[in-house]
Amino acid sequence: MASLQEQLLKAGLTTRQKTRQANADKRKKNKQKRSGVDHGASLQEQVKQDLVKSKADKVAKDSALNDVKKQEVATKEQLLRIKQILEHHQLTGVSGESEYNYTFNNKVKKLSLNTITHKALVNGRLALCGLNEVTYLVTSETAAKVAELDHTMVLVQNDKLATAETDEDDPYADYQIPDDLMW
């Protein structure tokens, strides 16, 4: 029975030069195995290594892009949640004669409030939150919820005043100190 190389030659599927080259490559490989030295990989092995490397790079790149997309979605969800909280819990119908000044995006803004709401805002029972150039008047509890999600959304949240301690010898005890001077 003839060898496979001889059969391929008779069938015309290969040439004598290609069979000699294949035999020489086979002898070199066997010799390298016996000596224990690896003198470079064959072309097929290099292609396989390049494929594995490119697959690993693609997987790493895809996972990085997925992480960025997940982060964007999480940020968008958080903003929508904050907006929903603020719109649901905002106080309306509190406009009045008293003006309250506050800063929003490095600009001083005025808010007209009635006296009860003004005192509540100054005393810390109410707070101001801002989102997308809109100011929301909410309770301090709602502002605390918003601050847990994103503290930059809370514009004004005064500390709650404790009971006013007056000194008995204070000559100005009868006079109220203004908390927001109006010019």
Side-chain angles (χ1 to χ4, degrees):
M1 181 168 223
S3 69
L4 178 62
Q5 287 180 354
E6 292 173 6
Q7 290 176 4
L8 292 174
L9 280 172
K10 284 183 184 179
L13 297 174
T14 187
T15 61
R16 288 216 181 266
Q17 185 179 4
K18 287 183 181 179
T19 58
R20 283 189 207 127
Q21 184 65 36
N23 286 336
D25 287 345
K26 187 176 179 182
R27 280 193 303 274
K28 283 182 184 177
K29 214 175 227 183
N30 285 337
K31 189 172 183 182
Q32 286 175 358
K33 278 185 182 178
R34 283 183 296 204
S35 68
V37 178
D38 187 17
H39 293 284
S42 69
L43 184 62
Q44 290 177 348
E45 291 173 353
Q46 288 177 354
V47 169
K48 286 180 184 177
Q49 289 174 356
D50 290 343
L51 284 174
V52 168
K53 184 178 177 184
S54 66
K55 274 188 177 180
D57 290 343
K58 186 177 182 327
V59 166
K61 184 179 176 183
D62 289 346
S63 67
L65 285 174
N66 284 340
D67 290 344
V68 169
K69 286 182 181 179
K70 285 180 183 177
Q71 183 65 30
E72 288 174 357
V73 167
T75 303
K76 194 179 268 187
E77 286 177 357
Q78 183 176 3
L79 282 176
L80 288 174
R81 184 171 180 210
I82 290 172
K83 184 176 180 180
Q84 183 180 16
I85 289 171
L86 290 176
E87 287 178 352
H88 187 264
H89 294 289
Q90 76 176 341
L91 300 175
T92 56
V94 292
S95 61
E97 301 164 359
S98 299
E99 288 184 347
Y100 187 83
N101 297 323
Y102 63 98
T103 58
F104 188 25
N105 291 338
N106 295 327
K107 296 178 184 174
V108 176
K109 304 245 179 164
K110 289 183 181 181
L111 187 63
S112 297
L113 301 171
N114 58 28
T115 54
I116 296 170
T117 308
H118 187 270
K119 285 182 182 180
L121 184 60
V122 169
N123 291 335
R125 291 189 307 267
L126 296 178
L128 291 176
C129 296
L131 177 67
N132 298 334
E133 301 295 326
V134 178
T135 304
Y136 298 94
L137 180 67
V138 294
T139 62
S140 61
E141 293 83 16
T142 304
K145 286 181 188 177
V146 170
E148 287 175 5
L149 297 173
D150 188 0
H151 68 282
T152 60
M153 299 292 170
V154 178
L155 301 175
V156 175
Q157 187 172 16
N158 296 322
D159 295 331
K160 292 185 178 181
L161 295 178
T163 57
E165 297 178 16
T166 57
D167 192 10
E168 308 228 353
D169 297 332
D170 188 11
Y172 298 105
D174 295 336
Y175 301 103
Q176 181 182 4
I177 300 172
D179 53 343
D180 188 17
L181 294 177
M182 294 182 215
W183 300 89

